[in-house]
Amino acid sequence: MKFFHTIILLLLTTTFLYAQNGVVRGTVVDATTNEPLPFVNVVVMGTLTGTVSDIDGNFQLFNLNPGFIRLSASFIGFRDAISDEFQVTNANVANITIRMEESDQIIEEVTVTASPFRRTEESPVSLRSISIGEIETNPGANRDISKVIQSFPGVASSPSFRNDLIIRGGGPSESVFYLDGIEVPNINHFATQGASGGAVGIINADFIREVRYYGGAFPANRGDALSGVLEFNQVDGNNEKLRFRGSLGAAEVAATLDGPIGEKTTFIVSTRRSYLNFLFSILELPFLPTFNDMQFKVRTRIDQKNEISFIGLGAIDLFDLNTGIEEPDEQQEFILSNIAVNEQWTYTLGAVYRHFHGNGVFSAALSRNHLNNRSTKYFENDDSDPLNLTLDYLSNEIENKIRIENTNRINAWRFNYGMNADAVTYTNDTYQKRFFGGRQVEIDYSTDLNLLRWALFGQVSRNFLANQISVSLGTRFDANNYSASMSNMFEQFSPRLSASYNLSDRFSINGNVGRYYQLPPYTSLGYKIDGVYVNKENNLKYIRANHYITGVEYKPRQMIQFTAEGFLKTYADYPFSVNNNISLANIGNDFGVVGDEEVLSIAEGRAYGLELLARINNQKNLNANISYTLVRSEFKDIESGKYIPSSWDSRHLVTAFGTYKFNKEWSFGAKWRFAGGLPYTPYDLDKSSLIPAWEAAGRAYFDEDRINSERFGVFHQLDFRVDKAFYLEKITAKFYIDIQNAYNYQSESLDIVIRDRDDNGNFILLDNDTRYQLRLVENRSGTILPTLGIIIEF
C-alpha cells in the first residue's frame, strides 16, 4: 500500500524541485568510414547549449533539462547532421552517436540547417520519420507503434480493434518490416496469416529510436513490398550501467533491462504479458485473448571498423472462447459461433555484421523466422462429437535468410548493391468444411513445400549543381524455384527512378516512378487439391505494382514541414479467388488465414490520390501533425471489366494530432481522426440459410454478385492523453491517462446474422427443414475507453 500512497502523493504534488542534471555523452563519426570526427560543433536543438567534439570525436553535455531532445552537428566539409530524438533524464546518462556525411561541395560558412524530416536521394518523396517522442505520447495509441503509424498521411484508420496498415489504398498484405535491417514477417500479435495485420503490436516501444515509413519510392535493397516499407531502428543498451524500465499499459505489463557486457558490448532485453484474458472474463466478453512477447538486442563494437548486432523478437498468442457465458446475447452468440480457437507463436532471430572500409560500408545479415499457426473450430463449439469438427488447421512458415550488400560513396556518387537468398519451408495440414458449388465440401490436404528465393539489387545516386538536383536510379531482380515462370528473374525486373530539384534551401520538387513485385502468400503457393499444387498448375505469378509519385516540400523553418504528394498505383496479376469470385487484394483485415484456396493471377486494380501534410516537430514544446488524404482504390470486375471500389476505398482520410509540453513536466495531447465509409459486400441470405452451408462455416456468406456494392457511414474519433513525468535524481516516473473515443462515437459495422429461435429456444427451420430462418441484427461499435499507464525507470 505504501507504493500506491507514494504514487498518489506524487500525482497530487503541485510544487516540486526540478533539477537540470541531464547528461549526454556521444560520439560524432563519418557515416561512410566510421572514423571519429574532431572539433565538430554539437548543439541541443532549440537552445544555445552546445559543445565541440574532442580529438576522438567524443563530446559531453551537462545540466540539460530532462525530456526528449535532438542534437545538431556542423563541421566544415560535411553536411549538417541531426540526431534521432532521444530522452534525457536525471537518473541516467544518455548515449548517442551522430553520423555525418562528407559533402562534395566547398563550404565557406557552416550553419546548422539540418531537419528532423528525413529525405534521401533514393526516396525524396513518401518517406516519413517518426520519433520516439511521437510514439511515446501519441493519443489513443498507448505506445503501440502500428497505431502510431495509422496517424500519418495515406494510412487508413478504421473502427475495428486491429493494426492493419492500409497504405494509399493498398491491402494489409502489401507492406514489409525491418528491425535493424532484419526482415520481420509480422509485427502484430494474433496475426492474420497471409497478410500483415493483427490485434496488438509485438514491438516494445522501449526499443525504438526512430521509425522510417515509406509509402512509395522504395530503395532497391527492400523487396517484396507493394504499398509500404517500415524500418524500425532500435536503441542500444546503456554502455555505463544497468537500467530497468517497467511499464503498465492498457493491455499488458512489461519489463525492460539494458546495460553493458564488458567494454565493447551492450544489451537490451524485454518481456511483456497481457492481462486481457482476466479482464475479458470479468466483463463476460465472448473471446479471451492472451499474448506474451520477448525482444532483445546485443551489439558488439569489435573495433573502429567492425561491429555485429544480434536481435530477437518472439510472441506466443492464445485466442480462446468464453463458452462459460450462461445466457449469451445476440452479439456474443454470433462471435462464439463464428470465431475459431487459435494458438499461434512466432519468432525472428537475426545477426547483422558491418565492416566500414575506405569509402563505404559492407554488411551481411543472417536471420531465421518461424510462424506456427493452429486453429480449430467445432460446430456450436461442441467437441464431444468428432463430426462437429469444421476446421483443424496447422501451418508453419519458416524462412532462413541472408542478405549481403555494399554501400560506397565516391565524391558525389553513391552506390548500393547486393544480393539476398532465402530458404523457405511451408507446411500445412488442413481439414475444413467449406460450401461452394451448392454443396458442402471437405478440404483435407497436407503440404510440405520447400522453396529457394533469390534477388539481385543495385542503386546509384548522384547530386548535381551544388546539391541542387539529385537523381537516383535503381533496379532489382527477384526469382524463386516454385515454377518455371517465377524462376526467370527477368520476369520480375523492377526498375525505379527518383529525382529531386531544390528551388531553394526551403522548397523542393520531388518525384519517383517504379515497378515493384511481391510473391503471393505461401498459403496460396502451398494449396493442394488431390495432391496437386493447383495454383502452380494455374501458373501463379508475382503480383506487380507500378508507382507514379510527384510532390513538393516546403520547410519555412527547421522544425516545420509542409508537403503535397500525388500518387498513382496500378496493379496486375493479383491472385483472384476462384470460389469466392474476389481479388485477394480485398481481404485480410480479419482474423484467420488469407490465400488458402485456388486462385488465378488475373486481377487488376489501381489506387490514386493526393496527400497533404503540415508537421511541427518539437517547436517550442509543440509536436503537431495535420494531414488529409484523398484516395480512390479500385479493382476491375472480372466479367464486366469495369472498375469497382476495393475494400480499402476510404476516399477521405483526415488526421490531426498534437502534443504540448507545459511547465513542470505536464503534457497534453489530442488526436482526431476521420475516415470515409468503406465499401462492403452484402450477405447472400439465400445461400447462408441452407443448413449445410451454415454448418460448414458457422456464419453467413457474402453475395459474390454484389462485391463492395454497399458502403458504411463515415468514421471519426477523438482521443485525449495527459502525461506527467517526474525526473528525480535516481528514478524517472511517468504517468499518463489516455481516453479513446472521448465523445463515444458509435461506428457502423457489418450487420450480425443469427439464426432465429422459437419460444422454446429451438432454431426455426424452413423449406422442409432444409434452411434456417435468419435475422439481421444491427451492429454498431464504440465506447469511451480510458487507460491509466505507469512507467518507472531507474
Side-chain angles (χ1 to χ4, degrees), residues 115-132:
S115 168
F117 310 115
R118 310 294 192 193
R119 196 177 75 177
T120 66
E121 293 104 328
E122 297 88 350
S123 306
V125 289
S126 307
L127 171 59
R128 316 290 183 193
S129 58
I130 306 172
S131 68
I132 183 58

Side-chain angles (χ1 to χ4, degrees), residues 577-597:
S577 171
V578 172
N579 295 320
N580 296 319
N581 197 36
I582 188 173
S583 167
L584 296 193
N586 290 280
I587 57 180
N589 65 334
D590 201 355
F591 299 103
V593 178
V594 173
D596 187 29
E597 58 182 313

Side-chain angles (χ1 to χ4, degrees), residues 384-597:
S384 62
D385 187 349
L387 295 178
N388 288 335
L389 182 68
T390 60
L391 173 65
D392 187 2
Y393 178 90
L394 175 61
S395 176
N396 288 275
E397 295 183 7
I398 305 169
E399 295 177 316
N400 298 287
K401 296 173 172 285
I402 181 172
R403 187 181 72 254
I404 297 173
E405 62 181 292
N406 197 62
T407 301
N408 297 88
R409 184 173 288 277
I410 303 174
N411 296 324
W413 295 88
R414 184 179 187 272
F415 302 91
N416 174 265
Y417 51 91
M419 57 80 65
N420 62 263
D422 305 346
V424 181
T425 298
Y426 171 73
T427 66
N428 188 322
D429 293 292
T430 293
Y431 171 81
Q432 186 176 17
K433 291 179 180 178
R434 298 180 183 176
F435 189 87
F436 50 81
R439 62 191 181 93
Q440 190 180 98
V441 177
E442 292 186 347
I443 304 297
D444 192 354
Y445 75 93
S446 295
T447 285
D448 189 353
L449 177 67
N450 293 284
L451 284 178
L452 289 177
R453 303 174 60 181
W454 60 91
L456 300 174
F457 57 84
Q459 191 143 1
V460 57
S461 307
R462 174 72 156 88
N463 293 312
F464 300 91
L465 301 178
N467 292 326
Q468 191 172 15
I469 296 175
S470 71
V471 178
S472 183
L473 175 64
T475 188
R476 184 181 177 93
F477 299 88
D478 286 274
N480 67 75
N481 66 344
Y482 179 72
S483 64
S485 61
M486 286 188 175
S487 65
N488 182 358
M489 66 167 53
F490 292 99
E491 292 290 329
Q492 289 80 234
F493 169 54
S494 309
R496 61 209 68 190
L497 174 67
S498 295
S500 178
Y501 179 52
N502 296 317
L503 297 175
S504 69
D505 59 349
R506 297 181 179 182
F507 189 82
S508 63
I509 301 173
N510 314 294
N512 169 268
V513 59
R515 170 169 289 185
Y516 309 101
Y517 285 92
Q518 184 181 64
L519 186 70
Y522 295 131
T523 52
S524 295
L525 298 177
Y527 182 70
K528 280 184 175 181
I529 297 180
D530 298 327
V532 176
Y533 290 113
V534 61
N535 294 324
K536 182 177 181 179
E537 297 296 313
N538 291 342
N539 193 29
L540 188 63
K541 300 178 181 179
Y542 278 79
I543 308 167
R544 186 178 78 236
N546 296 329
H547 287 206
Y548 310 90
I549 306 169
T550 186
V552 295
E553 179 184 35
Y554 176 59
K555 292 185 287 190
R557 295 184 182 179
Q558 189 178 29
M559 313 298 282
I560 300 176
Q561 178 193 44
F562 297 95
T563 64
E565 292 186 10
F567 61 89
L568 168 65
K569 296 189 291 187
T570 61
Y571 294 95
D573 299 330
Y574 227 111
F576 180 84
S577 171
V578 172
N579 295 320
N580 296 319
N581 197 36
I582 188 173
S583 167
L584 296 193
N586 290 280
I587 57 180
N589 65 334
D590 201 355
F591 299 103
V593 178
V594 173
D596 187 29
E597 58 182 313

Side-chain angles (χ1 to χ4, degrees), residues 36-176:
L37 296 177
F39 315 123
V40 176
N41 294 313
V42 179
V43 178
V44 179
M45 295 190 68
T47 75
L48 299 177
T49 302
T51 187
V52 177
S53 63
D54 63 21
I55 192 68
D56 296 316
N58 300 316
F59 65 89
Q60 298 185 79
L61 292 163
F62 299 96
N63 301 321
L64 300 180
N65 290 323
F68 294 103
I69 68 169
R70 293 179 187 267
L71 302 179
S72 59
S74 58
F75 187 50
I76 293 176
F78 285 77
R79 297 179 184 177
D80 295 348
I82 185 170
S83 74
D84 298 332
E85 191 173 60
F86 62 98
Q87 183 178 212
V88 174
T89 70
N90 293 329
N92 293 293
V93 174
N95 303 108
I96 190 72
T97 299
I98 303 176
R99 300 186 179 276
M100 303 188 71
E101 293 185 352
E102 191 172 1
S103 175
D104 56 300
Q105 304 297 321
I106 298 175
I107 302 176
E108 297 180 353
E109 183 178 350
V110 177
T111 56
V112 179
T113 57
S115 168
F117 310 115
R118 310 294 192 193
R119 196 177 75 177
T120 66
E121 293 104 328
E122 297 88 350
S123 306
V125 289
S126 307
L127 171 59
R128 316 290 183 193
S129 58
I130 306 172
S131 68
I132 183 58
E134 293 172 302
I135 294 171
E136 289 278 3
T137 60
N138 191 282
N142 279 308
R143 304 176 74 235
D144 190 324
I145 297 170
S146 294
K147 288 183 170 61
V148 175
I149 295 168
Q150 289 177 343
S151 303
F152 282 79
V155 187
S157 297
S158 70
S160 63
F161 296 98
R162 285 180 56 86
N163 282 354
D164 301 295
L165 294 179
I166 312 300
I167 299 175
R168 290 182 170 175
S173 63
E174 297 179 12
S175 298
V176 295

Side-chain angles (χ1 to χ4, degrees), residues 658-679:
T659 302
Y660 185 80
K661 182 180 178 181
F662 295 90
N663 293 330
K664 297 185 178 180
E665 306 305 332
W666 286 93
S667 66
F668 173 79
K671 177 170 64 178
W672 186 74
R673 294 177 290 157
F674 173 93
L678 290 171

